[in-house]
Amino acid sequence: MVGLRALVRRPALGTAPYAVCPAAQDLVPLAGQAVPGDARTRKWVPVKPLAGTAVIGIGNEFRRDDGLGWAAIALLRARKAQRPLPSGTDLAQCDGDPGRLIGLWEGKALTLVVDACFPPAAQPGRTHRWCVAPGEMPHPAAAGRQSTHGLGLAEALCLADHVGRGPGSLIVYAVEGADRSLGTGLTPAVAAALPLLALRIEADVRRHDERTRRTGFEPRSPEV
C-alpha cells in the first residue's frame, strides 16, 4: 500500500477536490472537502500506515563484485539466527528490475538498498551511505553505478515517484567494487567489507524499530 503523501496531493486550481491513487486509479478525498457525486460510486482504498522494513540487495552474483548486494543479504540471513532482526523486517535479493524493486519496498516505512558501484578510480571495499529524501535521487556515485544487470535504482525511483509507489524512508549503501567480469565470488577487499556493512545495516534496522516502539508510530506513517 502506498503512503499518504503519494496518495493525496494538493489539487491544481480549477480541479476537483480529490486525488487519484495512481496504483489503483481510485479517488481519495482531501481532508475537509466534500466528495463529488460521481466519486461516491467509486471504490474506496483504505489508507494504511507504512509498516516494517525492507532490506534489498541488488546485484548479479555471476559478475564478481556486482554480487555484493546478494552476498550482503545472504550474510544477514545467516546472522539472523544469532541476532534476530525486528519483526516486519524482510530480506530480499533483486536483480534491479524496477517493477520488482517497487514491489519489494511498497508499504514499507523504511527501505535499505545495498548495491555495488564502480566509479572511476574506485577504492574496492569503500562503503558509502546516503539517506535519500522522498522524490530525491541517490548520490551520483550510486545512480551512475554502470549497472551490469539492467535498469537500476535511479530508474526504479523515477518510475515509483511517477506512479506514487515510492519507498517511505530510504537508505542506500553502495560499496565500491574492483571486478565485474564474468565469474562468481567477491574480490578480497570487497568481501572484507561485508561484516562491517552487515553491522551497519542491522543498526539502522534496530534504530528504526526502537523509534517506532518509543513513539508508537512508524516514521513517515499517516498518523505522524
Side-chain angles (χ1 to χ4, degrees), residues 1-9 19-25 28 45 47-48 50 102-103 105-108 134-135 155-168 220:
M1 181 61 64
V2 295
L4 183 63
R5 291 188 183 184
L7 286 173
V8 180
R9 294 187 173 92
V20 177
C21 169
Q25 294 299 302
V28 180
V45 176
V47 179
K48 295 181 181 179
L50 302 177
I102 292 171
W105 70 44
E106 189 171 13
K108 294 295 185 180
E155 291 85 353
L157 287 171
C158 286
L159 175 61
D161 185 61
H162 181 70
V163 299
R165 297 173 64 188
R220 296 188 53 77

Side-chain angles (χ1 to χ4, degrees), residues 64-65 68 124-126 175-179 184-195:
R64 301 299 306 271
D65 288 341
L68 176 280
R126 182 167 63 176
V175 179
E176 296 184 20
D179 185 357
T184 58
L186 305 176
T187 58
V190 175
L194 275 176

Side-chain angles (χ1 to χ4, degrees), residues 124-199:
R126 182 167 63 176
T127 302
H128 305 264
R129 178 184 183 277
W130 297 284
C131 294
V132 185
E136 190 177 80
M137 289 297 105
H139 188 280
R145 62 181 307 284
Q146 303 179 44
S147 173
T148 61
H149 43 81
L151 296 174
L153 176 61
E155 291 85 353
L157 287 171
C158 286
L159 175 61
D161 185 61
H162 181 70
V163 299
R165 297 173 64 188
S169 297
L170 175 63
I171 298 174
V172 177
Y173 279 98
V175 179
E176 296 184 20
D179 185 357
R180 49 186 175 144
S181 63
L182 287 172
T184 58
L186 305 176
T187 58
V190 175
L194 275 176
L196 179 58
L197 174 63
L199 283 173

Side-chain angles (χ1 to χ4, degrees), residues 6-221:
L7 286 173
V8 180
R9 294 187 173 92
R10 187 180 300 278
L13 290 176
T15 61
Y18 54 87
V20 177
C21 169
Q25 294 299 302
D26 289 323
L27 300 177
V28 180
L30 299 179
Q33 294 180 324
V35 181
D38 59 345
R40 296 191 186 101
T41 62
R42 299 294 300 276
K43 176 184 175 185
W44 283 85
V45 176
V47 179
K48 295 181 181 179
L50 302 177
T53 298
V55 184
I56 306 171
I58 300 177
N60 182 340
E61 61 180 336
F62 301 108
R63 287 282 188 172
R64 301 299 306 271
D65 288 341
D66 204 31
L68 176 280
W70 285 43
I73 296 300
L75 178 57
L76 288 168
R77 286 171 175 166
R79 291 166 59 90
K80 199 174 175 182
Q82 288 75 36
R83 299 170 58 87
L85 292 170
S87 176
T89 302
D90 295 333
L91 304 175
Q93 295 168 324
C94 183
D95 60 3
D97 175 79
R100 282 188 279 275
L101 281 171
I102 292 171
L104 289 170
W105 70 44
E106 189 171 13
K108 294 295 185 180
L110 173 66
T111 296
L112 294 98
V113 172
V114 189
D115 199 0
C117 63
F118 300 89
Q123 297 181 30
R126 182 167 63 176
T127 302
H128 305 264
R129 178 184 183 277
W130 297 284
C131 294
V132 185
E136 190 177 80
M137 289 297 105
H139 188 280
R145 62 181 307 284
Q146 303 179 44
S147 173
T148 61
H149 43 81
L151 296 174
L153 176 61
E155 291 85 353
L157 287 171
C158 286
L159 175 61
D161 185 61
H162 181 70
V163 299
R165 297 173 64 188
S169 297
L170 175 63
I171 298 174
V172 177
Y173 279 98
V175 179
E176 296 184 20
D179 185 357
R180 49 186 175 144
S181 63
L182 287 172
T184 58
L186 305 176
T187 58
V190 175
L194 275 176
L196 179 58
L197 174 63
L199 283 173
R200 295 176 69 181
I201 293 171
E202 290 169 342
D204 279 329
V205 173
R206 293 193 174 97
R207 191 178 302 115
H208 165 82
D209 180 68
E210 182 180 340
R211 177 185 171 189
T212 300
R213 287 187 287 104
R214 185 174 63 250
T215 62
F217 297 114
E218 290 278 359
R220 296 188 53 77
S221 74

